[in-house]
Amino acid sequence: MPVVKPISDLQRNLGPIAQVCHESHEPVYLTKNGSASLVLMDAEEFDRRQRALSVVSEREERVQRAITRGYDDMLNGCTRPWAQAKQDADRIRTARENA
């Protein structure tokens, strides 16, 4: 559950708010006049989340490119029956194992 505090608490209680961030590894949401204004969080946790987001994003981009290539192949008639593709893949796998 996120911690929500008024922004005025940051000015008066920076130490305790920082401790909450470090111990919980969860963001602390600060409000101004009842509306969300800032988010504070532990720097190491922020970096960890950014790295995880980057990994997911890169994977999604690779999948999207592969889908686009496959769709383009289909539109251009560059496809082959499943049985033939399986045979070709098995032949390549066997050749690599024997190399």
Side-chain angles (χ1 to χ4, degrees):
M1 186 73 152
V3 177
V4 179
K5 295 187 174 284
I7 202 164
S8 58
D9 277 8
L10 179 62
Q11 297 162 340
R12 291 183 221 128
N13 301 311
L14 178 59
I17 291 175
Q19 186 174 356
V20 168
C21 290
H22 292 306
E23 290 176 357
S24 71
H25 298 287
E26 292 296 324
V28 174
Y29 293 84
L30 301 175
T31 61
K32 185 174 184 177
N33 298 325
S35 297
S37 179
L38 298 170
V39 177
L40 297 176
M41 70 184 308
D42 178 71
E44 289 179 13
E45 179 64 16
F46 177 80
D47 290 341
R48 187 191 69 74
R49 290 181 185 200
Q50 288 298 108
R51 283 190 303 273
L53 181 60
S54 178
V55 167
V56 169
S57 179
E58 289 170 5
R59 184 177 304 139
E60 287 179 354
E61 288 175 16
R62 285 193 308 270
V63 168
Q64 184 61 42
R65 284 193 304 269
I67 290 169
T68 300
R69 280 193 312 270
Y71 186 72
D72 288 344
D73 286 347
M74 183 187 72
L75 291 178
N76 294 317
C78 299
T79 60
R80 56 187 160 185
W82 164 249
Q84 181 185 356
K86 184 170 179 348
Q87 285 176 347
D88 292 346
D90 290 343
R91 185 174 21 77
I92 291 168
R93 190 178 308 110
T94 301
R96 285 184 182 164
E97 290 172 356
N98 293 333

